[in-house]
């Protein structure tokens, strides 16, 4: 029985909160906090009669560490689940350090302002040394390792689906199926259709920045960088069908390269339809994906934030999205001296998710693992001092909870591989 402070009340957060309420044996109390308290209050009203979990709400600006510290001191949680924006990872980690409370998130830190001089200097140094130019990486959070260790608290990074479940799949494959893993291909397929000409399935700022950036993959001990959408493959996904997918940079490549010993290559592919790519390219060409502030009619605006205000809210896509997702990993390697290939994946139905929690499958597949990661920490099933990626813990209890809470997985032997 534990108390969890949940920061954020967007689409993913609402799934995580709902799932916490389904797991009252772990989460006897939760506090839902956001900049917009009315959203928290509305969710509380919806859920409180359905659960034994006691729900409270609070207003907090997660950009301000002192506000998060004050809330933690007032609520006294056993852990803090960060399902706000990646921009706020460091301020929330600072607050957890100050209060000596465990921390969980779903995505690694990236800056809101990529023109910030201090950040830019560190970023450009990393680009030269590491060899990839993505605006997000784990170095900022890994730098907290000794501080969290000294404070005797845990930071669990990347407890979403990718990163998150795909990382746990990797640890599970290494533990049960391989003596050594040689290659990992992470495949993220969304076969859903929401009916809009253009919309993003999660926060547009994060989604569009990620997709329009250079791709990269890990091979033979170093990064290989590609142009945006340069590498395209086709794959026939179980229960979804044939889809075009494109190589992207993704943060779990960085942590898996560090934590899966001897891995020779890691790639990440995501499916996109041609309409999405055409719209995105047009928006990029006219500057709407820029994070740099501009003057407009005497006011300063950030183009991609203005675009976000124009696009459909991902949290509203649930009732109109049909189809399925298939997300998983194809592993090649050796077991008992013999070559082996397996594919571990989950298939999730958009409409089934909506019936259960009022959300489309993209938010569902991230929100469920966020709850499970928090449960691992609150129940002390995973209990190490310091900063850790999710694949650094025993995968078995997490995999069991995936089956229990709506994300059942399949292990397919000898699947089609990605060439």
């Amino acid at each position: 029985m534990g108390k969890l402070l949940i920061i954020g009340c967007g689409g993913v957060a609402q799934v995580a909160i709902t799932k916490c309420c389904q797991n009252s044996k772990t989460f006897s109390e939760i506090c839902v906090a956001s900049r917009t308290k009315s959203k928290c209050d509305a969710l509380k009203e919806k859920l409180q009669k359905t659960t034994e979990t006691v729900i409270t709400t609070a207003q907090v600006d997660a950009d301000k560490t002192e506000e998060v510290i004050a809330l933690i001191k007032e609520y006294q949680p056993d852990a803090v689940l960060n399902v706000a924006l990646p921009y706020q990872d460091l301020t929330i980690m600072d607050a957890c350090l100050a209060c000596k409370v465990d921390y969980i998130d779903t995505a690694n830190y990236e800056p809101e302002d990529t023109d910030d001089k201090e950040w830019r200097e560190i970023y450009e140094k990393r680009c030269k040394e590491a060899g990839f130019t993505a605006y997000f990486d784990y170095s900022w959070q890994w730098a907290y390792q000794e501080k969290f260790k000294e404070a005797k608290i845990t930071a669990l990074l990347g407890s979403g689906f990718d990163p998150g479940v795909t990382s746990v799949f990797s640890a599970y494959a290494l533990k049960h199926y391989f003596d050594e893993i040689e290659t990992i291909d992470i495949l993220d397929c969304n076969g859903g259709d929401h009916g809009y000409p253009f919309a993003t399935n999660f926060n547009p700022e994060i989604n569009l920045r990620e997709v329009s950036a250079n791709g990269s993959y890990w091979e033979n001990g170093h990064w290989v960088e590609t142009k945006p959408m340069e590498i395209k493959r086709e794959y026939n996904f179980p229960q979804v069908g044939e889809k075009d997918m494109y190589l992207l940079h993704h943060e779990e490549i960085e942590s898996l390269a560090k934590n899966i010993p001897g891995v020779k290559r890691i790639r990440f592919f995501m499916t996109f339809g041609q309409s999405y790519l055409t719209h995105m390219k047009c928006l990029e060409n006219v500057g709407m994906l820029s994070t740099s502030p501009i003057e407009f009619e005497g006011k300063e605006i950030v183009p991609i934030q203005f675009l976000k205000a124009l696009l459909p809210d991902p949290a509203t896509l649930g009732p109109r999205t049909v189809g399925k997702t298939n997300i998983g990993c194809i592993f090649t390697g050796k077991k008992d001296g013999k070559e082996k290939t397996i594919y571990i994946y989950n298939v999730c139905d958009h409409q089934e998710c909506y019936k259960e929690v009022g959300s489309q499958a993209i938010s569902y597949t991230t929100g469920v693992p966020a709850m499970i990661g928090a449960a691992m920490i609150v129940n002390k099933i995973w209990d190490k001092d310091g900063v850790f990626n999710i694949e650094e813990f025993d995968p078995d209890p997490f995999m069991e909870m995936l089956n229990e809470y709506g994300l059942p997985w399949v292990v397919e032997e000898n699947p089609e591989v990605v060439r």
Side-chain angles (χ1 to χ4, degrees):
M1 303 289 279
K3 293 175 69 175
L4 183 68
L5 171 59
I6 303 170
I7 299 179
C9 200
V12 169
Q14 290 185 31
V15 175
I17 293 159
T18 303
K19 285 293 179 176
C20 285
C21 291
Q22 291 179 13
N23 187 6
S24 297
K25 65 182 184 290
T26 295
F27 304 107
S28 54
E29 300 178 46
I30 61 172
C31 176
V32 182
S34 173
R35 184 180 281 114
T36 309
K37 186 174 179 290
S38 58
K39 291 172 65 174
C40 307
D41 292 336
L43 188 60
K44 174 186 174 179
E45 184 176 351
K46 176 183 173 183
L47 293 174
Q48 189 63 86
K49 294 178 182 178
T50 70
T51 181
E52 295 179 7
T53 302
V54 176
I55 307 170
T56 57
T57 64
Q59 193 280 332
V60 70
D61 183 347
D63 287 326
K64 298 176 180 177
T65 299
E66 64 275 13
E67 286 195 23
V68 182
I69 289 173
L71 179 57
I72 293 173
K73 286 182 176 179
E74 178 184 352
Y75 187 64
Q76 295 290 305
D78 297 301
V80 175
L81 173 59
N82 170 16
V83 274
L85 292 172
Y87 308 151
Q88 295 150 344
D89 286 1
L90 302 187
T91 57
I92 298 173
M93 288 181 78
D94 285 335
C96 287
L97 263 177
C99 299
K100 295 190 176 181
V101 63
D102 294 333
Y103 168 90
I104 306 104
D105 69 26
T106 62
N108 67 359
Y109 170 71
E110 58 182 283
E112 183 171 10
D113 179 10
T114 56
D115 291 325
D116 178 79
K117 290 182 179 179
E118 182 181 353
W119 176 86
R120 197 86 200 178
E121 183 178 335
I122 296 170
Y123 162 76
E124 289 174 358
K125 182 174 183 285
R126 188 263 288 159
C127 291
K128 291 177 182 179
E129 293 177 353
F132 66 93
T133 59
Y135 287 147
F136 50 94
D137 73 298
Y138 275 119
S139 65
W140 296 86
Q141 291 176 276
W142 285 345
Y144 282 70
Q145 168 64 17
E146 289 305 315
K147 292 179 182 178
F148 269 72
K149 189 174 181 179
E150 289 172 9
K152 299 186 185 305
I153 56 174
T154 304
L156 178 66
L157 307 183
S159 189
F161 206 107
D162 45 347
V165 174
T166 52
S167 307
V168 174
F169 284 171
S170 299
Y172 188 81
L174 184 61
K175 180 177 179 179
H176 295 283
Y177 288 91
F178 293 92
D179 295 322
E180 56 183 286
I181 292 175
E182 295 178 352
T183 70
I184 304 173
D185 277 333
I186 302 162
L187 311 184
D188 185 327
C189 168
N190 179 15
D193 182 4
H194 47 58
Y196 285 114
F198 184 75
T200 63
N201 289 293
F202 59 94
N203 186 285
E205 285 184 71
I206 307 303
N207 178 259
L208 291 169
R209 187 189 293 192
E210 178 180 293
V211 173
S212 61
N214 287 339
S216 61
Y217 59 97
W218 180 262
E219 188 169 49
N220 296 324
H222 68 277
W223 289 95
V224 179
E225 190 158 83
T226 69
K227 294 178 182 177
M229 303 295 178
E230 179 183 357
I231 296 179
K232 173 188 173 185
R233 297 288 188 270
E234 295 178 358
Y235 197 80
N236 189 8
F237 290 89
Q239 298 188 48
V240 177
E242 193 89 13
K243 293 289 181 182
D244 293 338
M245 60 182 189
Y246 297 82
L247 186 144
L248 304 181
H249 176 85
H250 228 242
E251 60 251 54
E252 67 263 48
I253 299 175
E254 187 182 8
S255 69
L256 290 173
K258 173 174 169 273
N259 294 319
I260 302 296
V263 66
K264 294 181 173 64
R265 190 190 70 204
I266 312 172
R267 301 182 296 185
F268 179 94
F269 292 91
M270 184 175 282
T271 62
F272 296 98
Q274 193 54 53
S275 175
Y276 179 96
L277 295 178
T278 300
H279 277 82
M280 187 188 73
K281 193 62 181 176
C282 290
L283 291 167
E284 184 179 29
N285 287 343
V286 298
M288 286 300 295
L289 304 190
S290 172
T291 61
S292 299
I294 63 168
E295 288 289 329
F296 177 72
E297 294 186 349
K299 296 181 180 178
E300 189 177 82
I301 65 168
V302 176
I304 197 168
Q305 292 179 356
F306 179 72
L307 175 63
K308 175 183 176 181
L310 296 175
L311 292 175
D313 181 348
T316 68
L317 297 180
R320 55 185 296 145
T321 305
V322 297
K324 296 179 179 181
T325 64
N326 181 315
I327 314 174
C329 305
I330 298 174
F331 303 96
T332 69
K334 291 180 180 176
K335 180 70 174 178
D336 299 326
K338 296 179 181 179
E339 299 289 337
K340 187 175 184 66
T341 304
I342 66 168
Y343 181 17
I344 308 180
Y345 64 87
N346 161 264
V347 174
C348 202
D349 186 288
H350 284 285
Q351 283 298 295
E352 291 302 314
C353 294
Y354 184 70
K355 287 176 187 175
E356 184 194 346
V357 299
S359 161
Q360 36 86 358
I362 303 301
S363 293
Y364 190 92
T365 54
T366 305
V368 172
M371 179 279 289
I372 297 174
M376 294 293 108
I377 299 301
V378 168
N379 287 330
K380 300 297 183 184
I381 296 169
W382 291 351
D383 187 16
K384 295 192 286 189
D385 297 336
V387 177
F388 300 95
N389 292 90
I390 198 166
E391 68 271 13
E392 295 181 79
F393 293 91
D394 179 12
D396 291 3
F398 195 102
M399 294 287 277
E400 290 170 9
M401 286 190 72
L402 287 173
N403 284 330
E404 182 181 356
Y405 284 95
L407 292 177
W409 40 272
V410 175
V411 179
E412 180 181 328
E413 302 266 0
N414 302 311
E416 175 191 357
V417 297
V418 181
R419 302 297 179 186

